[in-house]
Amino acid sequence: MTMTATPGAEAQAPVSPAATLNRSKVSTRDVKVYYGEKQAINGVSIDIPEKTVTSFIGPSGCGKSTFLRCLNRMNDTIPICRVTGEITLDGEDIYDPRIDVVELRARVGMVFQKPNPFPKSIFDNVAYGPRIHGLTTNKTDLEELVTSSLKRAGLFKEVKDRLHEPGTGLSGGQQQRLCIARAIATKPDVVLMDEPCSALDPIATAIVEELIDELRNRFTIIIVTHSMQQAARVSQRTAFFHLGNLIEEGRTEDIFSNPREKQTEDYISGKIG
Ligand SMILES: Nc1ncnc2c1ncn2[C@@H]1O[C@H](COP(=O)(O)OP(=O)(O)O)[C@@H](O)[C@H]1O
Ligand SMILES: [Mg+2]
């Protein structure tokens, strides 16, 4: 969208924040999640705009990870977990029985709290997804995809001379960037990150935060964080969860400076959580 003022143009109507919102990439309607008899998510509806970083914040146990895992059907791997409601990616129902879950998780990649590289070389970690999804047809293309993914994850310079050494030999921050490179190598639309910096030191955290900011040019990013400072630094939109409910969602600056709901205000001012 171009917003440049043309000299001599008639005064334009003010643009409302809603009008500047990118198209919705992921939409959920009345999503409820149960672990056995216990309900963990109480009917969450949200539209996540594309090429934007959205943060999920809220006190521990409020359901951030549970809700995040709905978005690439990671909860399918938890036998007692049941999800109801509607979740669409580009308008397509991701819980439709015809959806190939492995392919879905390539389109909606995930980065976890603790860096979890495979016990394989740096190269093979990143090549793993492209190989199983048959994204490249020859060695040169695969090498190019691995290189570009490592570059995009801000790791290439540090590892270019040791691509065939184990990924587990890297520092924690490098391992997390390797996991990000692995997630983006399948050219996902959406990258889910569940507290991706919680195991990292402040310097590695700052590097990953910068990276997240760059990645939003290409990907839709949803990050769970227990750090309100991090949400304020990295995200354009923030959703506040409490006891399985989505309390409010909006522009990050509005959520932190001018929340609509008292519960949000209490949380950001440190009264709850
Ligand atoms: N695998 C699981 N089995 C049973 N209950 C779970 C499981 N994972 C999470 N829960 C419960 O669901 C609720 C939300 O947890 P979670 O999504 O991990 O919250 P958050 O990420 O906000 O800390 C909590 O009450 C938690 O105990
Ligand atoms: Mg969590």
Side-chain angles (χ1 to χ4, degrees):
M1 187 187 325
T2 51
M3 305 271 287
T4 41
T6 314
E10 296 303 319
Q12 293 180 337
V15 177
S16 72
T20 62
L21 207 57
N22 287 353
R23 189 178 74 88
S24 173
K25 186 77 187 174
V26 177
S27 295
T28 82
R29 291 296 175 267
D30 198 28
V31 167
K32 297 174 179 161
V33 184
Y34 306 82
Y35 293 107
E37 297 291 294
K38 187 174 167 282
Q39 188 167 356
I41 296 290
N42 307 320
V44 169
S45 302
I46 188 172
D47 291 319
I48 309 271
E50 70 174 357
K51 295 188 177 164
T52 299
V53 181
T54 299
S55 293
F56 291 171
I57 64 166
S60 179
C62 68
K64 304 178 295 296
S65 298
T66 297
F67 185 65
L68 189 76
R69 288 196 300 263
C70 292
L71 308 181
N72 68 348
R73 293 185 53 177
M74 214 54 148
N75 286 324
D76 288 17
T77 62
I78 303 173
I80 60 165
C81 188
R82 189 163 60 84
V83 178
T84 68
E86 186 186 72
I87 303 177
T88 58
L89 172 64
D90 288 330
E92 188 184 11
D93 176 5
I94 66 164
Y95 282 81
D96 186 297
R98 285 166 298 189
I99 288 281
D100 176 341
V101 180
V102 174
E103 199 219 330
L104 172 70
R105 292 188 192 134
R107 287 168 68 194
V108 185
M110 191 149 191
V111 175
F112 298 86
Q113 197 162 348
K114 215 169 146 269
N116 60 347
F118 301 134
K120 292 172 180 287
S121 71
I122 293 167
F123 185 94
D124 286 342
N125 263 277
V126 183
Y128 182 84
R131 276 181 179 136
I132 60 170
H133 295 290
L135 295 190
T136 53
T137 50
N138 61 59
K139 197 161 166 272
T140 318
D141 286 355
L142 181 64
E143 283 170 1
E144 211 170 272
L145 180 54
V146 169
T147 303
S148 65
S149 303
L150 284 168
K151 280 185 179 156
R152 222 160 258 153
L155 187 61
F156 186 68
K157 276 191 197 144
E158 290 158 65
V159 301
K160 64 180 186 330
D161 300 320
R162 51 200 279 210
L163 290 176
H164 298 287
E165 292 173 26
T168 48
L170 298 171
S171 74
Q174 289 173 325
Q175 287 188 22
Q176 197 60 308
R177 279 179 282 145
L178 177 62
C179 293
I180 292 171
R182 183 178 65 190
I184 63 182
T186 59
K187 305 195 167 152
D189 294 317
V190 182
V191 181
L192 310 176
M193 300 187 175
D194 195 349
E195 306 207 21
C197 300
S198 64
L200 307 185
D201 64 44
I203 292 171
T205 295
I207 294 171
V208 170
E209 286 183 359
E210 248 172 68
L211 172 61
I212 290 170
D213 193 50
E214 279 161 30
L215 292 175
R216 87 180 141 98
N217 290 321
R218 233 167 237 274
F219 307 103
T220 300
I221 298 182
I222 308 173
I223 175 173
V224 167
T225 174
H226 62 259
S227 159
M228 287 185 266
Q229 289 78 6
Q230 179 166 71
R233 284 193 299 265
V234 302
S235 64
Q236 291 74 53
R237 299 193 68 83
T238 295
F240 170 62
F241 290 81
H242 190 235
L243 298 174
N245 299 304
L246 172 61
I247 305 299
E248 70 175 289
E249 180 273 332
R251 295 196 312 169
T252 296
E253 57 207 86
D254 294 338
I255 297 291
F256 286 107
S257 62
N258 195 16
R260 293 185 299 273
E261 303 296 330
K262 182 163 184 315
Q263 278 163 296
T264 315
E265 193 179 328
D266 286 350
Y267 181 68
I268 60 172
S269 63
K271 282 189 204 147
I272 53 171

